[in-house]
Amino acid sequence: MEINIQELIFEFIGGLGIFLLGIKFMGEGLQKSAGDRLRDILDKFTSNPFMGVLAGIIVTILIQSSSGTTVLTVGLVNAGFMTLRQAIGVIMGANIGTTVTAFIIGIDLGAYALPILAVGAFMIFFFKNNKITNIGQSIFGFGSLFFGLELMSAGMKPLREVQAFQELTLNMSDNPFLGVVVGTLFTVIVQSSSATIGVLQGLFDQGAMTLDAALPVLFGDNIGTTITAVLASIGASIAAKRAAYTHVLFNLIGTTVFLIFLGVYENVVEFLRDQFNLNPEMTIAFAHGGFNLTNTIIQFPFIGLLALIVTKLIPGEDVVVEYKPKHLDPIFLHQSPSVALDQAKEEIIRMGDYAYKGLEEAGLYLNNHIQKHSDMALQIEGALNNLDREITNYLVELSSASLSEADSHKHSTLMDSVRDIERIGDHFENIVELIDYKISNKVVLTEQAQQDLNDMFDLTLITVKQAVGALGRMDREAALAVVQKEDKIDQMERVYRKKHIIRLNEGLCTGPAGIVFVDIISNLERIGDHAVNIAEEVLGEDHL
């Protein structure tokens, strides 16, 4: 039998491409349908590791990617939303959730792939309603998944006859480690364990591979899928790195255990196949599901130990931005409103310190263009938004308590200050976006412009720090100093604008550079305004 190598390769890589696109489309469609609830699911349901496992399963089924869930989790750990122990539960759940794709593939819908594609496309193109187009996108992805599989399967059919491939599978049957390595490498290359399992299901279905060769490849796929999270954790906080490496450790331990009992597991899978009369694709799906489920059950009691091991492997003090408030205890709301006010104030001062730190990071990013400063600034901005929401809700609840006149004045002072601090976050976020624009469009600022920006940054930073300090200590002196500094910032903005126009007229400066320069100084000037608002709250009444 003559094998057309070109056709084999084209069908295989084309099918793989359509399959990967299908998974992406399906996940994106589901994700859009679920809206921003994914992050909320992870945030709310991870109170204990068991709930974490459930949340991991649900989110992974929704976005069709265990790597995606792990990357989300790494982000949440990085942002201080989740502890390492909670994250380990979610990662275990993600491994179980990812097996759903293999079960979907096991339901042999290949014959209906094209009509499913047509329905999805019809929903995307003929409806203006977002909800329907999102569902259409998921259906289109679902169809592409099967269409891609059909193509890959057709491409792999002749592989049974290829001598070299027969020898490779024989070697993998004799040497399970080789299978693990092949599975790991392939998944690292295509960045999707679902795709590799799909290929494996196709090969097994075509009879090109025996079960004892396929199982180690399947274990390797699970190791390979962890690389995405590891890549996502580069440059992230230590806690995030630990979460990513837990994923690697979890699958390495699982693979080691299963390789030791490979013969036993093979018998279990064959028993299941005969009992339930499973087709070849479904057999692999059950093997994949069984591996991840058993692995989770075995390792679940040792979450604390896993956390300890990665903490030892990746040492260091962890610095995270705490998204969640530390001081807002609901118990004081009704028992002692004045203590509750002090608690809220403590939290606002913490928020103010974050605003200062975020502005500082934006200044560093302006000068050295190092990504981590930008990430940190944006992370802090996210924390400010969250704290703003939590503190405002707390203060709103507190307003229903009976407050003395002095306390009720303090209450409105704090309400206003929270809003001002949150706005400072919005402005330094604008600045970071302007710097991104400057970098991506290769905009060059003149030396003088850069110097002016740094001078204005320095003054604004001191002003913000002083305003937060004044609020913390109710210090009138510091508040008056803030008002004076803010006048200076306004003056600076006017002078620098004029200097900039002169530079433009002399041809020293380009238009885009001008836009970046003027927008940054006007954002700094607005930050100064918010600092003065905080200071004026302190100066407002003598009896505060």
Side-chain angles (χ1 to χ4, degrees):
M1 174 188 155
E2 187 57 43
I3 292 172
N4 183 339
I5 295 290
Q6 180 180 328
E7 194 179 313
L8 187 152
I9 292 172
F10 282 9
E11 282 190 347
F12 176 73
I13 57 173
L16 182 63
I18 294 171
F19 178 88
L20 286 169
L21 187 77
I23 287 186
K24 183 175 188 292
F25 252 58
M26 198 159 120
E28 277 178 7
L30 285 164
Q31 203 167 346
K32 283 181 200 156
S33 309
D36 289 331
R37 293 206 295 278
L38 295 177
R39 200 178 167 134
D40 290 345
I41 291 173
L42 287 177
D43 190 22
K44 294 222 171 40
F45 294 110
T46 51
S47 45
N48 62 49
F50 182 69
M51 291 302 285
V53 172
L54 288 180
I57 293 173
I58 294 165
V59 173
T60 307
I61 290 171
L62 281 177
I63 61 176
Q64 284 296 303
S65 158
S66 62
S67 307
T69 307
T70 313
V71 168
L72 258 175
T73 309
V74 166
L76 287 166
V77 171
N78 196 27
F81 256 126
M82 200 185 269
T83 64
L84 182 61
R85 290 175 71 111
Q86 288 169 328
I88 295 174
V90 177
I91 288 165
M92 288 179 170
N95 276 299
I96 297 173
T98 193
T99 61
V100 169
T101 319
F103 283 105
I104 292 172
I105 293 168
I107 309 161
D108 194 11
L109 291 177
Y112 306 104
L114 292 170
I116 294 171
L117 272 170
V119 171
F122 181 78
M123 287 169 80
I124 293 171
F125 287 102
F126 292 102
F127 290 92
K128 288 285 168 274
N129 180 331
N130 270 348
K131 220 170 198 159
I132 296 176
T133 50
N134 289 336
I135 295 168
Q137 189 180 340
S138 305
I139 293 173
F140 186 81
F142 191 65
S144 308
L145 189 125
F146 285 105
F147 185 58
L149 271 171
E150 286 290 289
L151 275 178
M152 276 201 290
S153 208
M156 290 184 294
K157 212 173 207 151
L159 274 180
R160 281 184 301 190
E161 319 298 329
V162 178
Q163 188 65 37
F165 190 78
Q166 286 173 347
E167 281 169 15
L168 178 67
T169 49
L170 271 175
N171 283 337
M172 287 198 290
S173 304
D174 297 337
N175 182 357
F177 287 109
L178 180 65
V180 173
V181 171
V182 168
T184 307
L185 287 176
F186 190 36
T187 309
V188 166
I189 292 165
V190 294
Q191 290 278 302
S192 161
S193 61
S194 300
T196 342
I197 304 280
V199 172
L200 197 60
Q201 284 170 302
L203 286 169
F204 189 62
D205 180 41
Q206 298 297 344
M209 202 175 226
T210 54
L211 189 60
D212 55 355
L215 287 177
V217 178
L218 185 125
F219 306 153
D221 294 343
N222 282 291
I223 297 172
T225 194
T226 63
I227 193 76
T228 320
V230 171
L231 293 173
S233 75
I234 293 169
S237 71
I238 288 177
K241 281 198 179 69
R242 286 175 183 159
Y245 284 98
T246 307
H247 196 190
V248 180
L249 197 64
F250 173 74
N251 281 317
L252 278 176
I253 293 170
T255 299
T256 310
V257 171
F258 273 78
L259 280 178
I260 295 167
F261 298 104
L262 185 60
V264 179
Y265 191 54
E266 200 180 319
N267 292 337
V268 171
V269 175
E270 281 172 346
F271 171 75
L272 286 171
R273 178 180 62 191
D274 301 339
Q275 274 309 97
F276 297 110
N277 197 13
L278 303 174
N279 67 17
E281 282 101 342
M282 215 32 134
T283 309
I284 295 290
F286 266 82
H288 185 36
F291 169 76
N292 279 312
L293 193 60
T294 315
N295 194 9
T296 299
I297 293 167
I298 293 170
Q299 295 192 49
F300 186 78
F302 304 109
I303 282 184
L305 183 64
L306 275 174
L308 192 71
I309 294 170
V310 280
T311 308
K312 285 272 181 288
L313 286 174
I314 301 167
E317 258 317 293
D318 195 40
V319 192
V320 282
V321 176
E322 288 274 358
Y323 269 56
K324 294 183 176 174
K326 286 182 167 177
H327 304 287
L328 307 181
D329 195 332
I331 205 161
F332 296 121
L333 284 171
H334 303 295
Q335 289 193 356
S336 173
S338 63
V339 174
L341 265 179
D342 288 336
Q343 293 268 307
K345 186 174 163 185
E346 283 286 305
E347 202 55 61
I348 291 169
I349 299 307
R350 198 169 82 84
M351 189 178 165
D353 292 337
Y354 268 152
Y356 171 78
K357 176 101 176 81
L359 184 59
E360 190 176 40
E361 293 289 334
L364 289 167
Y365 186 44
L366 172 68
N367 283 297
N368 58 25
H369 295 178
I370 294 173
Q371 193 58 39
K372 72 170 185 191
H373 294 305
S374 155
D375 294 344
M376 191 66 174
L378 296 178
Q379 216 174 303
I380 289 173
E381 205 277 326
L384 290 177
N385 287 344
N386 198 55
L387 288 171
D388 168 46
R389 220 173 22 246
E390 300 270 358
I391 297 169
T392 305
N393 289 345
Y394 190 77
L395 286 171
V396 167
E397 273 189 62
L398 187 56
S399 62
S400 61
S402 52
L403 298 170
S404 67
E405 199 179 328
D407 276 352
S408 114
H409 200 97
K410 189 172 180 183
H411 182 273
S412 64
T413 295
L414 295 178
M415 279 295 262
D416 291 339
S417 300
V418 169
R419 200 174 50 245
D420 280 307
I421 295 171
E422 194 275 327
R423 296 292 298 145
I424 290 174
D426 292 344
H427 287 299
F428 71 64
E429 182 185 24
N430 292 346
I431 292 174
V432 169
E433 284 166 4
L434 285 162
I435 302 165
D436 285 338
Y437 170 83
K438 170 180 177 289
I439 296 168
S440 58
N441 290 290
K442 301 195 168 45
V443 175
V444 180
L445 292 175
T446 61
E447 215 167 293
Q448 186 56 58
Q450 187 74 33
Q451 185 57 53
D452 290 351
L453 282 179
N454 284 335
D455 289 346
M456 194 158 168
F457 247 107
D458 291 343
L459 185 58
T460 314
L461 271 167
I462 296 166
T463 313
V464 170
K465 197 181 187 85
Q466 214 160 15
V468 174
L471 181 67
R473 299 185 302 276
M474 279 300 167
D475 179 346
R476 290 181 61 81
E477 291 293 309
L480 286 165
V482 170
V483 176
Q484 286 171 343
K485 286 199 174 67
E486 204 273 331
D487 285 341
K488 212 165 160 189
I489 292 176
D490 286 353
Q491 201 182 338
M492 235 181 201
E493 197 221 6
R494 284 194 297 274
V495 171
Y496 288 170
R497 241 176 228 276
K498 281 184 188 142
K499 282 170 69 176
H500 159 66
I501 291 165
I502 293 166
R503 281 197 298 273
L504 261 181
N505 291 340
E506 289 177 353
L508 297 170
C509 177
T510 61
I515 294 167
V516 170
F517 179 81
V518 170
D519 281 359
I520 292 178
I521 60 171
S522 67
N523 272 295
L524 288 171
E525 189 270 328
R526 296 296 302 281
I527 290 173
D529 290 347
H530 290 296
V532 128
N533 290 349
I534 297 167
E536 279 171 351
E537 293 293 344
V538 178
L539 294 170
E541 293 282 338
D542 283 327
H543 66 256
L544 259 187

